[in-house]
Amino acid sequence: MRRLVCALSAVTAIVVAVAVTDEEAVAASGRRAYKTRYLRASKKACQLLKGRSNIDKQDQFGRNALYEECERGNEIAVDLLLRSGANVNKPDPWGWTPLHVAAWNGWPLVVERLLLSGAKKEAEDHWRQTPLFLATKKRHRSVIRVLRRAGARY
């Protein structure tokens, strides 16, 4: 099932390989729908990069490719999108940035990569919630540690 067509660099090949391997492993356990979405998101990110179109293009819900990959915790695709110029601080209609999403979902490696790329560690959404507040609310200790080390406050 190696039908993905994106071949930008060695990093892209890794994204594709990880997605295919994960889909094959999960197909045996019966949770195919989740991994199919995971594969499509990575494929979408690769297609955006390959076409060099607007990498920050938002869907009808205000989410872009970086936002979706942060939600899934795909640190390889996040890294690839950031290297290609994705806006690390682009908010959705509710004020959530990719850092908010990664902190809420508990992905410390993604949070660290976003911070290294210049994400605002104290960005507030429309309810004045910071990524550190969201990570604390969900009790993601590893994300809290990463944000604290970066100097984030509530």
Side-chain angles (χ1 to χ4, degrees):
M1 178 176 286
R2 303 192 187 273
R3 57 188 160 103
L4 297 178
V5 236
C6 186
L8 287 173
S9 65
V11 178
T12 307
I14 291 171
V15 171
V16 171
V18 168
V20 170
T21 304
D22 284 348
E23 185 184 48
E24 289 171 356
V26 172
S29 68
R31 287 192 257 167
R32 190 172 175 86
Y34 172 74
K35 286 303 176 181
T36 302
R37 283 200 327 260
Y38 183 91
L39 181 62
R40 281 193 190 128
S42 296
K43 189 175 177 181
K44 176 182 173 183
C46 288
Q47 287 171 347
L48 276 172
L49 293 167
K50 188 174 182 182
R52 298 284 184 219
S53 62
N54 184 4
I55 205 160
D56 290 322
K57 183 179 178 186
Q58 295 179 315
D59 63 8
Q60 68 267 26
F61 303 110
R63 303 182 326 173
N64 59 16
L66 180 61
Y67 190 100
E68 289 180 11
E69 296 301 334
C70 288
E71 189 173 34
R72 288 170 176 73
N74 190 345
E75 62 264 4
I76 299 170
V78 167
D79 185 59
L80 189 61
L81 288 164
L82 290 171
R83 287 175 191 244
S84 298
N87 184 353
V88 72
N89 291 310
K90 182 147 183 126
D92 68 3
W94 298 274
W96 276 37
T97 63
L99 186 59
H100 283 91
V101 176
W104 176 259
N105 288 298
W107 303 114
L109 295 175
V110 175
V111 168
E112 193 169 12
R113 180 63 181 103
L114 291 169
L115 289 170
L116 288 172
S117 296
K120 294 178 184 175
K121 56 189 166 227
E122 295 176 12
E124 294 181 345
D125 63 7
H126 295 317
W127 298 276
R128 301 186 54 97
Q129 299 177 41
T130 63
L132 180 59
F133 175 81
L134 295 172
T136 305
K137 189 174 182 178
K138 292 282 282 201
R139 297 183 180 157
H140 295 304
R141 291 182 181 158
S142 54
V143 174
I144 294 168
R145 263 181 265 146
V146 170
L147 288 167
R148 286 278 190 182
R149 262 188 270 140
R153 290 180 274 156
Y154 289 102

mmCIF file of all heavy atoms in Angstrom, residues 47-66:
data_model
loop_
_atom_site.group_PDB
_atom_site.id
_atom_site.type_symbol
_atom_site.label_atom_id
_atom_site.label_comp_id
_atom_site.label_asym_id
_atom_site.label_seq_id
_atom_site.Cartn_x
_atom_site.Cartn_y
_atom_site.Cartn_z
ATOM 1 N N GLN A 47 1.340 17.178 0.109
ATOM 2 C CA GLN A 47 0.848 17.779 -1.126
ATOM 3 C C GLN A 47 0.968 19.293 -1.080
ATOM 4 O O GLN A 47 1.295 19.932 -2.073
ATOM 5 C CB GLN A 47 -0.593 17.354 -1.386
ATOM 6 C CG GLN A 47 -0.696 15.919 -1.826
ATOM 7 C CD GLN A 47 -2.125 15.422 -1.888
ATOM 8 O OE1 GLN A 47 -3.042 16.063 -1.386
ATOM 9 N NE2 GLN A 47 -2.311 14.263 -2.487
ATOM 10 N N LEU A 48 0.708 19.883 0.089
ATOM 11 C CA LEU A 48 0.885 21.324 0.231
ATOM 12 C C LEU A 48 2.331 21.712 -0.010
ATOM 13 O O LEU A 48 2.628 22.673 -0.691
ATOM 14 C CB LEU A 48 0.474 21.766 1.638
ATOM 15 C CG LEU A 48 -0.988 22.038 1.882
ATOM 16 C CD1 LEU A 48 -1.227 22.279 3.362
ATOM 17 C CD2 LEU A 48 -1.448 23.235 1.086
ATOM 18 N N LEU A 49 3.241 20.928 0.573
ATOM 19 C CA LEU A 49 4.664 21.228 0.428
ATOM 20 C C LEU A 49 5.136 21.023 -1.000
ATOM 21 O O LEU A 49 5.933 21.792 -1.517
ATOM 22 C CB LEU A 49 5.475 20.350 1.374
ATOM 23 C CG LEU A 49 5.271 20.652 2.851
ATOM 24 C CD1 LEU A 49 5.866 19.550 3.693
ATOM 25 C CD2 LEU A 49 5.877 21.986 3.196
ATOM 26 N N LYS A 50 4.644 19.986 -1.630
ATOM 27 C CA LYS A 50 5.076 19.678 -2.988
ATOM 28 C C LYS A 50 4.620 20.753 -3.965
ATOM 29 O O LYS A 50 5.364 21.167 -4.846
ATOM 30 C CB LYS A 50 4.526 18.322 -3.406
ATOM 31 C CG LYS A 50 5.069 17.837 -4.721
ATOM 32 C CD LYS A 50 4.594 16.440 -5.004
ATOM 33 C CE LYS A 50 5.183 15.948 -6.307
ATOM 34 N NZ LYS A 50 4.712 14.624 -6.648
ATOM 35 N N GLY A 51 3.403 21.229 -3.789
ATOM 36 C CA GLY A 51 2.861 22.233 -4.692
ATOM 37 C C GLY A 51 3.312 23.643 -4.370
ATOM 38 O O GLY A 51 3.108 24.556 -5.142
ATOM 39 N N ARG A 52 3.924 23.818 -3.196
ATOM 40 C CA ARG A 52 4.354 25.137 -2.746
ATOM 41 C C ARG A 52 3.213 26.146 -2.785
ATOM 42 O O ARG A 52 3.392 27.312 -3.094
ATOM 43 C CB ARG A 52 5.542 25.650 -3.570
ATOM 44 C CG ARG A 52 6.762 24.807 -3.467
ATOM 45 C CD ARG A 52 7.438 25.043 -2.158
ATOM 46 N NE ARG A 52 8.690 24.290 -2.100
ATOM 47 C CZ ARG A 52 9.124 23.691 -1.034
ATOM 48 N NH1 ARG A 52 8.441 23.744 0.074
ATOM 49 N NH2 ARG A 52 10.260 23.038 -1.038
ATOM 50 N N SER A 53 2.012 25.659 -2.551
ATOM 51 C CA SER A 53 0.858 26.559 -2.492
ATOM 52 C C SER A 53 0.859 27.252 -1.134
ATOM 53 O O SER A 53 1.804 27.135 -0.372
ATOM 54 C CB SER A 53 -0.429 25.776 -2.709
ATOM 55 O OG SER A 53 -0.587 24.831 -1.679
ATOM 56 N N ASN A 54 -0.205 27.934 -0.811
ATOM 57 C CA ASN A 54 -0.295 28.640 0.462
ATOM 58 C C ASN A 54 -0.290 27.630 1.600
ATOM 59 O O ASN A 54 -1.284 26.944 1.843
ATOM 60 C CB ASN A 54 -1.567 29.493 0.497
ATOM 61 C CG ASN A 54 -1.665 30.309 1.754
ATOM 62 O OD1 ASN A 54 -0.765 30.316 2.585
ATOM 63 N ND2 ASN A 54 -2.773 31.000 1.898
ATOM 64 N N ILE A 55 0.818 27.544 2.300
ATOM 65 C CA ILE A 55 0.990 26.535 3.341
ATOM 66 C C ILE A 55 0.125 26.836 4.571
ATOM 67 O O ILE A 55 -0.165 25.956 5.356
ATOM 68 C CB ILE A 55 2.480 26.408 3.706
ATOM 69 C CG1 ILE A 55 2.769 25.048 4.273
ATOM 70 C CG2 ILE A 55 2.919 27.495 4.641
ATOM 71 C CD1 ILE A 55 4.194 24.669 4.212
ATOM 72 N N ASP A 56 -0.306 28.094 4.728
ATOM 73 C CA ASP A 56 -1.136 28.476 5.863
ATOM 74 C C ASP A 56 -2.623 28.534 5.513
ATOM 75 O O ASP A 56 -3.409 29.101 6.255
ATOM 76 C CB ASP A 56 -0.687 29.837 6.405
ATOM 77 C CG ASP A 56 0.659 29.757 7.095
ATOM 78 O OD1 ASP A 56 0.911 28.750 7.775
ATOM 79 O OD2 ASP A 56 1.462 30.689 6.936
ATOM 80 N N LYS A 57 -3.010 27.948 4.398
ATOM 81 C CA LYS A 57 -4.408 27.954 3.980
ATOM 82 C C LYS A 57 -5.270 27.242 5.024
ATOM 83 O O LYS A 57 -4.947 26.152 5.476
ATOM 84 C CB LYS A 57 -4.551 27.249 2.635
ATOM 85 C CG LYS A 57 -5.940 27.260 2.086
ATOM 86 C CD LYS A 57 -6.021 26.573 0.757
ATOM 87 C CE LYS A 57 -7.443 26.555 0.253
ATOM 88 N NZ LYS A 57 -7.568 25.775 -0.970
ATOM 89 N N GLN A 58 -6.370 27.871 5.391
ATOM 90 C CA GLN A 58 -7.250 27.327 6.419
ATOM 91 C C GLN A 58 -8.491 26.700 5.799
ATOM 92 O O GLN A 58 -8.960 27.135 4.751
ATOM 93 C CB GLN A 58 -7.663 28.428 7.397
ATOM 94 C CG GLN A 58 -6.497 28.972 8.194
ATOM 95 C CD GLN A 58 -6.896 30.088 9.138
ATOM 96 O OE1 GLN A 58 -7.635 30.983 8.757
ATOM 97 N NE2 GLN A 58 -6.402 30.034 10.345
ATOM 98 N N ASP A 59 -9.003 25.666 6.470
ATOM 99 C CA ASP A 59 -10.234 25.031 6.014
ATOM 100 C C ASP A 59 -11.444 25.802 6.562
ATOM 101 O O ASP A 59 -11.287 26.871 7.147
ATOM 102 C CB ASP A 59 -10.271 23.545 6.411
ATOM 103 C CG ASP A 59 -10.269 23.330 7.918
ATOM 104 O OD1 ASP A 59 -10.391 24.314 8.685
ATOM 105 O OD2 ASP A 59 -10.139 22.167 8.340
ATOM 106 N N GLN A 60 -12.641 25.246 6.412
ATOM 107 C CA GLN A 60 -13.856 25.957 6.841
ATOM 108 C C GLN A 60 -13.925 26.140 8.359
ATOM 109 O O GLN A 60 -14.687 26.952 8.854
ATOM 110 C CB GLN A 60 -15.118 25.243 6.333
ATOM 111 C CG GLN A 60 -15.378 23.900 6.964
ATOM 112 C CD GLN A 60 -14.787 22.745 6.184
ATOM 113 O OE1 GLN A 60 -13.817 22.896 5.463
ATOM 114 N NE2 GLN A 60 -15.368 21.576 6.333
ATOM 115 N N PHE A 61 -13.110 25.389 9.114
ATOM 116 C CA PHE A 61 -13.085 25.520 10.569
ATOM 117 C C PHE A 61 -11.921 26.381 11.050
ATOM 118 O O PHE A 61 -11.692 26.511 12.246
ATOM 119 C CB PHE A 61 -13.002 24.139 11.222
ATOM 120 C CG PHE A 61 -14.121 23.228 10.815
ATOM 121 C CD1 PHE A 61 -13.869 22.136 10.005
ATOM 122 C CD2 PHE A 61 -15.419 23.478 11.211
ATOM 123 C CE1 PHE A 61 -14.895 21.297 9.609
ATOM 124 C CE2 PHE A 61 -16.450 22.650 10.815
ATOM 125 C CZ PHE A 61 -16.194 21.552 10.010
ATOM 126 N N GLY A 62 -11.160 26.940 10.122
ATOM 127 C CA GLY A 62 -10.054 27.806 10.474
ATOM 128 C C GLY A 62 -8.771 27.086 10.824
ATOM 129 O O GLY A 62 -7.872 27.666 11.419
ATOM 130 N N ARG A 63 -8.672 25.809 10.473
ATOM 131 C CA ARG A 63 -7.484 25.027 10.809
ATOM 132 C C ARG A 63 -6.620 24.844 9.567
ATOM 133 O O ARG A 63 -7.124 24.567 8.494
ATOM 134 C CB ARG A 63 -7.885 23.660 11.370
ATOM 135 C CG ARG A 63 -8.779 23.784 12.566
ATOM 136 C CD ARG A 63 -9.182 22.499 13.194
ATOM 137 N NE ARG A 63 -9.357 21.408 12.263
ATOM 138 C CZ ARG A 63 -9.573 20.162 12.628
ATOM 139 N NH1 ARG A 63 -9.643 19.850 13.877
ATOM 140 N NH2 ARG A 63 -9.733 19.226 11.729
ATOM 141 N N ASN A 64 -5.313 24.969 9.736
ATOM 142 C CA ASN A 64 -4.398 24.738 8.632
ATOM 143 C C ASN A 64 -3.664 23.406 8.824
ATOM 144 O O ASN A 64 -3.915 22.693 9.802
ATOM 145 C CB ASN A 64 -3.421 25.914 8.474
ATOM 146 C CG ASN A 64 -2.605 26.162 9.713
ATOM 147 O OD1 ASN A 64 -2.522 25.318 10.593
ATOM 148 N ND2 ASN A 64 -2.000 27.327 9.792
ATOM 149 N N ALA A 65 -2.769 23.073 7.911
ATOM 150 C CA ALA A 65 -2.071 21.783 7.973
ATOM 151 C C ALA A 65 -1.225 21.662 9.237
ATOM 152 O O ALA A 65 -1.186 20.601 9.872
ATOM 153 C CB ALA A 65 -1.204 21.590 6.731
ATOM 154 N N LEU A 66 -0.552 22.736 9.648
ATOM 155 C CA LEU A 66 0.271 22.697 10.862
ATOM 156 C C LEU A 66 -0.599 22.428 12.084
ATOM 157 O O LEU A 66 -0.249 21.636 12.953
ATOM 158 C CB LEU A 66 1.041 24.010 11.025
ATOM 159 C CG LEU A 66 1.937 24.114 12.249
ATOM 160 C CD1 LEU A 66 3.018 23.045 12.223
ATOM 161 C CD2 LEU A 66 2.559 25.493 12.342
#
